[in-house]
Amino acid sequence: MSQLPLLTNGLADLRKQLNEHSYRYYVLDDPSLPDAEYDRLFRQLQALEAKHPELITSDSPTQRVGSTPLSDFPSINHQVPMLSLGNVFDAEGLQAFVKRVEKELTDLGRALLNEELEFCCEPKLDGLAVSLIYQNGQLVQGVTRGDGQTGEGITENLKTLRSIPLSLRSADNQSLPELLEVRGEVYMPRAAFEAMNEQARLADEKTFANPRNAAAGSLRQLDSRITATRPLEFTAYQVAQISQDFAVETHEKAMQSLKNWGFKISPDLKVVKGYSGLQNFCDALAAKRDQLPYDIDGAVLKINDLRLQAELGFRAREPRWATSFKYPAQEEITRLLDVEFQVGRTGAVTPVARLEPVQVAGVTVSNATLHNMDEIVRLEVRIGDTVIIRRAGDVIPQIVRVVLEQRPTNTQSIIMPTSCPICDSHVERAEGEAAYRCTGGLYCPAQRKEAIKHFASRKAFDIEGLGVKLIDQLVDNELVKSPADLYKLKVEQLANLERMAEKSANNLLEALEVSKKTTLARFIYALGIREVGEATAANLARYFGQLETLKQVSVEQLLDVDDVGPIVAQHIYAFFNEPHNLTTLDDLLAQGIHWPETQVRREDLPLTGQTWVLTGSMQNLTRDQAKEKLEALGAKVAGSVSKKTSQLVAGEAAGSKLTKAESLGVPVMDEQQLLELLASHTG
Ligand code: JCF
């Protein structure tokens, strides 16, 4: 029992480390630990807490997994109403907003003394507003906006979001406010949303129309364990209440306090002056909109001075001191004119929607992806239907739903063709796959074109001047049937094609000649083996070193390569055992394609067979760089120390791993020794 205080301290220390990592990761976007190390510490905490449940605290990071389902959400009155924001849509509206606040301030006796008014600006996230109450630094309540006066208590759900601190962070044990009410937006980043929908599609489950609906659906779960599995984030945007001693003068400073207490605030938060500053901010953000990792529907513009905000106050349903500049919607309504079937590189026959052209968030959209036949069934979409389409970021526009109330009488159902629309080969569906495929292989001109486009692309053979239009002509005129045929082309053949002349033909032949010198990794990638992207191709090249070896590997050997799972291994194995493909390979090599034989076979590398572990911080290289260099020398780099560890590299402030290595007798070296070792092998 005398060990209990020691254990309590150990637990507190682990929690502190984990929380600090979460803060670095979610708030500062500057992770301090590799994910594997975080997971290891997390499991350590879980194990200790399982042995001593009496020592679990409500703010432990392990408590974010959700708890037993509620029967419904309590109704909770907001202490301060959650108002909406006014809108402006263009420069005139924005100018009118600035004029109005200036006049109101002048009327209040606030002469502006030629000083331009300061505004604090940020993106308007397209999610759901929530309010969080912290008492003495502890999260005690989380509520949805509801109608602005009353919302639903969803504390348990909100606690599962890693970007919501369960207790406020206090650097150097500074005191915390007795009361803090923070408001912000819960949303789902676009990539996580797409990935979640893709999973759902594969599992034949319900998909969400957009990230906002996905976030709403995830927060509305009575079972917080479900919410815990959803990739939701929280960004704080407002201090609604705070104990007197902690009040600051500007909105910007309030946001800075929130950041220090552990909240994520917008990375695009900016203070600007006057109308022109606002206009510049809104324009710059609009230009950046597609590149942001989340959906936004505008910019929020607030007077920065909190005293001026207080003096201006509110009108019926919105503050006088803020507005939002709205951008064009990312969803629009249009009509599905037709569905065509496209054949991809791997023969997948995919339905593509032809739409009545419509402007979506500033771009004319006339095509949208329909993914596969299952998606068509799920959407219950028919040709002629009125549909809602969504375009966000660089994702291909999608049909999100059919407006059944506006279905015309003469709609037609969408039917997968039984033969390839390009080569007439049989179309079939492999068991367990959503895709239908043309069985024509490289006899199918569509697959041939795609294979050659892939072969010539930047990350493959990078053949300058060999564009999509030219490839179409080469295949249509039967000048090129396989990639190797590219290297047999003659000036006269090329010069006769559309948009080509002798000069461009010669340039292309020269580019083809240059492309013959490549690397094994590019060569493997260029073959277009299913599921073998750039990274896997590089791993294969590094692991096997030679094309000959790769031709003879077994599925088991392939499974030893990083990133290669059973399905990919099967695709690779099948590729190299298909006689057609072997002919293509020989044909390519006969054209003079070559690469430096510097790639060393894995068995011959200096650190082959060794397992290394890195710990502590290093001065001259990052953990990832060290890992990459060690792996290049053949070592495996693991996350934890065991009897099997060959060598531990201990940087500064190395902790438990160093202790463990010493107790197991694992050799330890410092950063300097590592650098010397690396230099001795690369010098
Ligand atoms: O990101 C948002 N959706 C957002 C909404 C950002 C803000 O700064 C807001 C808001 C709603 C009200 N500020 C207020 C006052």
Side-chain angles (χ1 to χ4, degrees), residues 82-85 122-129 145 184-185 235-238 251 255 269 297 300-302 319 321-322:
M82 286 183 83
L83 303 176
S84 47
L85 289 168
E122 64 179 326
K124 185 164 187 292
L125 298 166
D126 198 6
L128 294 105
R145 176 174 180 278
E185 202 81 354
T235 292
Y237 60 65
Q238 190 83 0
H251 178 68
M255 290 295 99
L269 194 83
D297 56 359
V300 182
L301 316 169
K302 296 174 179 170
W321 41 264

Side-chain angles (χ1 to χ4, degrees), residues 23 27 162-165 167-169 257-264:
Y23 178 69
V27 180
R162 296 262 197 103
S163 43
I164 292 183
S167 52
L168 300 182
R169 190 174 167 273
S257 308
L258 291 184
K259 182 171 179 173
N260 293 335
W261 283 323
F263 293 94
K264 175 153 75 182

Side-chain angles (χ1 to χ4, degrees), residues 113-349:
L113 301 166
N114 288 332
E115 269 279 325
E116 280 203 293
L117 204 49
E118 264 187 10
F119 294 90
C120 192
C121 311
E122 64 179 326
K124 185 164 187 292
L125 298 166
D126 198 6
L128 294 105
V130 301
S131 146
L132 305 172
I133 306 245
Y134 289 81
Q135 279 168 357
N136 299 311
Q138 298 293 320
L139 174 63
V140 295
Q141 186 179 85
V143 187
T144 62
R145 176 174 180 278
D147 63 6
Q149 304 297 326
T150 311
E152 291 181 312
I154 53 163
T155 316
E156 292 312 313
N157 288 350
L158 291 172
K159 278 184 163 179
T160 67
L161 274 65
R162 296 262 197 103
S163 43
I164 292 183
L166 299 178
S167 52
L168 300 182
R169 190 174 167 273
S170 77
D172 316 321
N173 283 325
Q174 279 175 343
S175 67
L176 291 168
E178 241 175 75
L179 172 70
L180 171 69
E181 179 178 353
V182 178
R183 291 185 180 164
E185 202 81 354
V186 172
Y187 57 98
M188 194 178 285
R190 231 159 18 218
F193 162 75
E194 300 293 345
M196 196 175 101
N197 260 1
E198 187 59 27
Q199 279 311 109
R201 252 179 234 120
L202 290 174
D204 231 334
E205 284 165 7
K206 178 174 169 294
T207 55
F208 288 103
N210 55 45
R212 187 176 188 284
N213 287 2
S218 304
L219 275 189
R220 222 183 287 117
Q221 296 291 333
L222 286 166
D223 187 345
S224 51
R225 290 168 301 194
I226 298 178
T227 311
T229 66
R230 304 286 172 82
L232 296 173
E233 293 192 8
F234 174 80
T235 292
Y237 60 65
Q238 190 83 0
V239 171
Q241 301 189 68
I242 191 159
S243 309
Q244 197 67 59
D245 293 350
F246 292 82
V248 290
E249 301 93 66
T250 66
H251 178 68
E252 186 195 17
K253 286 188 179 154
M255 290 295 99
Q256 203 51 56
S257 308
L258 291 184
K259 182 171 179 173
N260 293 335
W261 283 323
F263 293 94
K264 175 153 75 182
I265 61 171
S266 174
D268 293 299
L269 194 83
K270 193 173 174 201
V271 175
V272 304
K273 287 196 168 157
Y275 168 75
S276 61
L278 290 173
Q279 185 68 57
N280 289 342
F281 180 87
C282 294
D283 288 350
L285 185 63
K288 211 175 149 181
R289 183 184 188 188
D290 279 354
Q291 275 82 261
L292 293 173
Y294 34 74
D295 281 1
I296 63 169
D297 56 359
V300 182
L301 316 169
K302 296 174 179 170
I303 289 185
N304 195 24
D305 187 326
L306 294 178
R307 201 177 41 169
L308 296 184
Q309 281 193 8
E311 287 184 23
L312 281 166
F314 300 85
R315 44 182 183 185
R317 283 170 49 230
E318 53 204 49
R320 289 183 203 279
W321 41 264
T323 195
S324 61
F325 188 106
K326 282 291 188 89
Y327 295 141
Q330 290 179 311
E331 286 183 10
E332 285 297 342
I333 195 159
T334 188
R335 191 168 299 279
L336 177 61
L337 300 177
D338 198 5
V339 172
E340 285 172 19
F341 290 87
Q342 273 180 359
V343 183
R345 179 162 59 81
T346 60
V349 182

Side-chain angles (χ1 to χ4, degrees), residues 5-174:
L6 205 65
L7 183 57
T8 310
N9 286 342
L11 287 172
D13 187 53
L14 266 175
R15 287 180 193 129
K16 195 162 174 214
Q17 279 191 56
L18 287 163
N19 283 334
E20 196 58 23
H21 174 65
S22 280
Y23 178 69
R24 298 268 307 248
Y25 188 97
Y26 289 102
V27 180
L28 305 183
D29 200 13
D30 176 24
S32 51
L33 291 177
D35 289 353
E37 179 65 7
Y38 179 91
D39 293 343
R40 203 187 58 77
L41 290 173
F42 191 86
R43 283 194 301 271
Q44 197 178 335
L45 177 61
Q46 264 180 330
L48 287 171
E49 287 182 346
K51 263 195 227 155
H52 301 276
E54 72 282 6
L55 297 180
I56 299 177
T57 56
S58 64
D59 68 347
S60 175
T62 57
Q63 303 306 296
R64 292 192 186 271
V65 291
S67 50
T68 43
L70 305 173
S71 52
D72 67 44
F73 298 119
S75 194
I76 292 171
N77 285 330
H78 293 295
Q79 292 164 22
V80 180
M82 286 183 83
L83 303 176
S84 47
L85 289 168
N87 294 317
V88 301
F89 297 93
D90 50 25
E92 285 92 82
L94 183 58
Q95 193 132 40
F97 165 72
V98 177
K99 284 253 159 63
R100 176 177 60 75
V101 291
E102 282 176 353
K103 173 165 189 309
E104 285 170 347
L105 286 172
T106 320
D107 291 351
L108 286 165
R110 289 266 164 219
L112 293 170
L113 301 166
N114 288 332
E115 269 279 325
E116 280 203 293
L117 204 49
E118 264 187 10
F119 294 90
C120 192
C121 311
E122 64 179 326
K124 185 164 187 292
L125 298 166
D126 198 6
L128 294 105
V130 301
S131 146
L132 305 172
I133 306 245
Y134 289 81
Q135 279 168 357
N136 299 311
Q138 298 293 320
L139 174 63
V140 295
Q141 186 179 85
V143 187
T144 62
R145 176 174 180 278
D147 63 6
Q149 304 297 326
T150 311
E152 291 181 312
I154 53 163
T155 316
E156 292 312 313
N157 288 350
L158 291 172
K159 278 184 163 179
T160 67
L161 274 65
R162 296 262 197 103
S163 43
I164 292 183
L166 299 178
S167 52
L168 300 182
R169 190 174 167 273
S170 77
D172 316 321
N173 283 325
Q174 279 175 343

